[in-house]
Amino acid sequence: MKHISIAIDGPAGAGKSTIARQIAKELGFIYVDTGAMYRAMALYFIRNDIDSSDSKKIEEACPYVNVSIEYKDGEQLVILNGENVNGLIRTEAVGNMASAASINKSVRLKLVELQQDLAKKANVVMDGRDIGTYVLPGADLKIYLTASTKERARRRWAELKEKGIDADMNEIEKDIESRDFRDMNREFAPLKQAEDAIYVDTSNLTIDEVIQKILLYYQKIN
Ligand code: C5P
């Protein structure tokens, strides 16, 4: 049986995970957060004192990293070598390592297989950077979700403030720019809009407006 897949790609801070999660809930699909998988691998590299720029060590470590996914009450759990690491992968350090380590082909190939497998087994809304272009090129609906760098930095700043963390807006903006650069310029499966993806700029839209827009696009393909 052919399953339906919706690919949502875009740069950091565009609102992909919030939106993808809610769309999946609305449609009764499974939400697949691929960034969490890169973060789990990053946690392994950090724990093993591997430098984010040491591609050789990263490559050598890959066969020892096993990432799998489970679902509990509709929430995705990321399992790293048998351990549920969901609560450990949302730190800045893990995010930075994930951004740097994900340029390595061996890291990506390992996770792409897992992602394609999930889409074979169920209807999915999958978010990431290369879903529409590389992981699921035949996805039924592809969305390229973005927002201005300033707006993405403002959102990140507000998120940190909510957690009681005082951050510098200019620093956040610089960090977002360097993550964008790495994602868009890596050799293997870089972030770019798929030719058949719909471009959605969320800078001036509420979360709800974005969700309604995407659900409308979904209705059109049915
Ligand atoms: O989306 P999130 O911030 O959790 O992703 C962490 C990092 O993993 C990103 O900075 C990005 O470089 C990388 N990533 C990727 N391809 C994906 C998902 C995430 O390269 N499909």
Side-chain angles (χ1 to χ4, degrees):
M1 182 185 147
K2 155 103 175 73
H3 291 287
I4 302 167
S5 51
I6 300 179
I8 302 186
D9 288 302
K16 294 187 302 296
S17 55
T18 310
I19 282 150
R21 180 179 282 111
Q22 292 209 33
I23 288 175
K25 203 166 163 198
E26 194 77 30
L27 298 174
F29 288 14
I30 280 175
Y31 166 51
V32 183
D33 171 0
T34 63
M37 303 175 190
Y38 286 93
R39 287 172 180 267
M41 286 196 77
L43 181 63
Y44 180 91
F45 301 139
I46 290 173
R47 283 176 168 175
N48 287 277
D49 286 328
I50 296 174
D51 194 282
S52 64
S53 62
D54 193 339
S55 292
K56 191 168 177 284
K57 280 239 169 78
I58 286 179
E59 196 151 314
E60 282 168 3
C62 279
Y64 301 95
V65 194
N66 183 38
V67 176
S68 60
I69 295 296
E70 288 176 13
Y71 285 89
K72 193 175 169 219
D73 305 327
E75 264 307 292
Q76 172 183 290
L77 306 181
V78 189
I79 314 295
L80 169 66
N81 292 339
E83 175 191 359
N84 171 5
V85 292
N86 258 35
L88 304 172
I89 56 176
R90 297 289 156 200
T91 65
E92 288 298 293
V94 171
N96 286 335
M97 174 61 102
S99 169
S102 65
I103 67 166
N104 292 282
K105 190 173 176 180
S106 38
V107 171
R108 305 201 70 80
L109 287 180
K110 203 166 179 108
L111 298 179
V112 165
E113 210 181 306
L114 170 63
Q115 293 155 11
Q116 289 173 336
D117 239 38
L118 288 165
K120 269 187 209 142
K121 290 184 192 141
N123 296 331
V124 294
V125 179
M126 192 177 288
D127 84 7
R129 307 293 191 285
D130 58 343
I131 311 306
T133 52
Y134 186 77
V135 180
L136 304 174
D140 301 274
L141 177 65
K142 298 180 186 177
I143 303 290
Y144 188 82
L145 205 66
T146 189
S148 66
T149 316
K150 282 230 166 340
E151 176 56 18
R152 290 187 284 132
R154 194 200 58 75
R155 289 177 191 170
R156 180 83 191 113
W157 178 85
E159 222 174 80
L160 290 170
K161 198 170 167 67
E162 183 100 336
K163 289 185 192 160
I165 303 167
D166 252 328
D168 181 289
M169 186 84 82
N170 289 330
E171 284 298 313
I172 297 179
E173 204 174 324
K174 269 196 238 149
D175 184 59
I176 283 183
E177 277 166 357
S178 64
R179 278 189 198 204
D180 285 358
F181 184 85
R182 270 201 296 256
D183 281 336
M184 291 173 179
N185 292 284
R186 66 176 168 241
E187 217 169 290
F188 186 69
L191 166 65
K192 63 169 187 249
Q193 185 181 348
E195 273 177 23
D196 50 351
I198 301 166
Y199 182 91
V200 178
D201 186 331
T202 69
S203 305
N204 299 307
L205 297 175
T206 64
I207 290 171
D208 219 44
E209 285 169 334
V210 179
I211 291 169
Q212 292 315 319
K213 216 181 211 324
I214 296 175
L215 287 174
L216 268 180
Y217 288 128
Y218 178 71
Q219 279 169 15
K220 281 191 194 153
I221 62 158
N222 278 296

